[in-house]
Amino acid sequence: MAIISITSTSVAVNPLKQSQPVGATLAFLGLQGMMPMLHGSPGCSAFTKVVLTKHLGKVFPLSSTAMTEVSTILGGEENIEKAIAKLVQISQPKMIGICTTGLTETRGDDMGRLLKDMRQRYSELSQVPIYLVSTPDFKGTLQDGFAAAVESIVKEIPQTTDRQNCCPKQITILASSAFTPGDLQEIKEIVSAFGLQPIIVPDISGLLNIHALDDRHSLVTSGGTSLPQLRAIPHSVFTIALGESMRGAARILSQKFCTPYEVFDTVSGLEAADKFLQALADISSIPVPAKYRYQRLQLQDAMLDAHFYFGGKRVSLALEPDLLWSTVSFLQSMGAQIHAAVTTARSPLLEKLPITSVTIGDLEDFEQLAVGSDLLISNSHAVTISQRLTIPIYRQGIPIYDRLGHNQSTKVGYRGTMQYLFDIGNLLYEQNKAKV
């Protein structure tokens, strides 16, 4: 069990975490026909847009209620009504996702009542689901905002008592912010190989759809989970939650639709991939396809070759809790030692981490704790730390803005784990070579 320590500094000099609206907006971008909207000032939206644009390397739809000093003091209800009415008229979204910000949360706007009143006044909103999520900037992290958005989405799925029409081959997959679009693409392929029809929520692999983002005539997202798919979720026979932060959403589906669920903290590494594929085999009653048996043998061989470079290496990580857990599990399975671990917020996973201690802090703490490491793992903001400490860095998390193809990268399943193994292993190999 890890001892959790929390830094008591009054200021974050080099922040690690991203705000909740960034995570919630990313989750909403995984729905088709979605228009995300931030209820706050244009500046609040700009911060979110800058981070995600740099990370995704693409343009994407995002609107704002554009609160001013006057509307903040007198009330922003009129702004919200005007914004939603305008969006429906011009963009014709199939869904709208509203994230609050620190500004409006501090003011205490009753968003639930406001949306309820709006629906009574505007009949054209009756067919447009509006997902409301509380995401104040001053607390929580990207992972929290992402999870809150997913919970908001599944809560809005209409209640049904018709379990007789369950689709025996359909499963729901709830994927946390720890997974890249490439990861979800790989997961869909694996699940489909068992004859199952996955509905992934949110399906950010749609962000890899070139036409979805380059279509200048589309004012809303073109890829991701569609509205008919969301409405079909009550007929799924099972829910797979990928990441501890998805447990809440899985529990909501279980309570609403009596759908059994299982949480997978990671799908990276030999053991984790075995467990995931076995679960799919149990659900589908189809044995693991020969293709994946062959990939497993390849991964075993790659692990045998690479363990010389991982064994005993001291690795320091600064990641969100779900990603920290999966990365620690993978590294330890290869014989690496965790020299330091820094994360952004509390999670039930932290105490279970099989390391000595974990710090809830920022990149300043990370720089102090990582001295003496052989490898750093964090987002692109930690590159300057890597340069100052002259320790190589493997980029992981959000944002990554100085590498090509990171959205396509995958670390899940046997094939993804093998690529993950080679990417990190080559960094350690080069470091070994430089020391000789």
Side-chain angles (χ1 to χ4, degrees), residues 187-225:
I187 286 168
K188 278 198 286 190
E189 188 176 324
I190 293 172
V191 174
S192 299
F194 286 84
L196 297 169
Q197 300 160 12
I199 297 179
I200 298 185
V201 184
D203 185 2
I204 61 170
S205 70
L207 293 170
L208 298 177
N209 182 352
I210 297 170
H211 300 293
L213 295 173
D214 286 352
D215 186 352
R216 296 178 185 279
H217 301 291
S218 176
L219 299 176
V220 295
T221 54
S222 299
T225 319

Side-chain angles (χ1 to χ4, degrees), residues 20 133 135 139-149 177 320 345-346:
Q20 288 199 77
V133 56
T135 50
K139 70 175 185 180
T141 68
L142 181 151
Q143 179 179 294
D144 296 326
F146 192 99
S177 58
E320 294 265 6
R346 282 192 175 276

Side-chain angles (χ1 to χ4, degrees), residues 159-164:
Q159 187 79 40
T160 177
T161 55
D162 182 14
R163 290 288 294 169
Q164 301 299 320

Side-chain angles (χ1 to χ4, degrees), residues 122-201:
Y122 297 92
S123 57
E124 60 268 34
L125 292 180
S126 60
Q127 299 302 316
V128 182
I130 299 177
Y131 307 115
L132 172 64
V133 56
S134 173
T135 50
D137 306 83
F138 47 78
K139 70 175 185 180
T141 68
L142 181 151
Q143 179 179 294
D144 296 326
F146 192 99
V150 176
E151 290 181 20
S152 173
I153 292 166
V154 298
K155 278 179 185 173
E156 287 295 320
I157 297 172
Q159 187 79 40
T160 177
T161 55
D162 182 14
R163 290 288 294 169
Q164 301 299 320
N165 294 326
C166 273
C167 179
K169 294 295 182 183
Q170 178 183 299
I171 63 170
T172 302
I173 297 180
L174 305 171
S176 81
S177 58
F179 296 89
T180 67
D183 286 337
L184 298 188
Q185 199 160 262
E186 178 72 10
I187 286 168
K188 278 198 286 190
E189 188 176 324
I190 293 172
V191 174
S192 299
F194 286 84
L196 297 169
Q197 300 160 12
I199 297 179
I200 298 185
V201 184

Side-chain angles (χ1 to χ4, degrees), residues 68-321:
T68 63
E69 295 89 338
V70 174
S71 59
T72 301
I73 294 170
L74 299 180
E77 296 187 0
E78 189 180 347
N79 284 48
I80 298 172
E81 288 199 18
K82 284 182 179 177
I84 293 178
K86 199 77 175 176
L87 286 178
V88 172
Q89 180 188 355
I90 296 177
S91 307
Q92 299 180 337
K94 293 177 181 172
M95 297 172 260
I96 296 174
I98 301 178
C99 314
T100 61
T101 60
L103 178 73
T104 50
E105 285 282 349
T106 303
R107 191 181 179 283
D109 288 343
D110 187 351
M111 294 292 293
R113 177 194 59 78
L114 175 61
L115 292 178
K116 186 177 178 182
D117 292 345
M118 274 195 69
R119 285 196 179 280
Q120 292 176 346
R121 285 197 293 274
Y122 297 92
S123 57
E124 60 268 34
L125 292 180
S126 60
Q127 299 302 316
V128 182
I130 299 177
Y131 307 115
L132 172 64
V133 56
S134 173
T135 50
D137 306 83
F138 47 78
K139 70 175 185 180
T141 68
L142 181 151
Q143 179 179 294
D144 296 326
F146 192 99
V150 176
E151 290 181 20
S152 173
I153 292 166
V154 298
K155 278 179 185 173
E156 287 295 320
I157 297 172
Q159 187 79 40
T160 177
T161 55
D162 182 14
R163 290 288 294 169
Q164 301 299 320
N165 294 326
C166 273
C167 179
K169 294 295 182 183
Q170 178 183 299
I171 63 170
T172 302
I173 297 180
L174 305 171
S176 81
S177 58
F179 296 89
T180 67
D183 286 337
L184 298 188
Q185 199 160 262
E186 178 72 10
I187 286 168
K188 278 198 286 190
E189 188 176 324
I190 293 172
V191 174
S192 299
F194 286 84
L196 297 169
Q197 300 160 12
I199 297 179
I200 298 185
V201 184
D203 185 2
I204 61 170
S205 70
L207 293 170
L208 298 177
N209 182 352
I210 297 170
H211 300 293
L213 295 173
D214 286 352
D215 186 352
R216 296 178 185 279
H217 301 291
S218 176
L219 299 176
V220 295
T221 54
S222 299
T225 319
S226 67
L227 193 52
Q229 285 179 316
L230 288 175
R231 288 174 176 164
I233 282 178
H235 305 303
S236 294
V237 292
F238 202 83
T239 299
I240 290 178
L242 301 178
E244 176 62 30
S245 63
M246 291 294 102
R247 186 181 293 275
R251 194 173 287 142
I252 290 170
L253 290 180
S254 174
Q255 291 168 348
K256 287 184 73 171
F257 309 120
C258 300
T259 312
Y261 71 89
E262 184 172 358
V263 179
F264 292 81
D265 295 328
T266 177
V267 196
S268 302
L270 186 66
E271 188 177 349
D274 283 350
K275 186 181 172 190
F276 182 63
L277 266 71
Q278 184 58 54
L280 295 176
D282 294 340
I283 295 168
S284 64
S285 301
I286 291 177
V288 176
K291 170 185 174 182
Y292 294 107
R293 294 175 185 273
Y294 181 66
Q295 285 184 9
R296 189 179 192 278
L297 289 174
Q298 286 182 315
L299 174 58
Q300 283 180 306
D301 186 56
M303 291 174 70
L304 184 63
D305 293 341
H307 86 277
F308 297 106
Y309 303 101
F310 280 81
K313 288 291 186 295
R314 294 160 297 180
V315 185
S316 293
L317 311 97
L319 301 166
E320 294 265 6

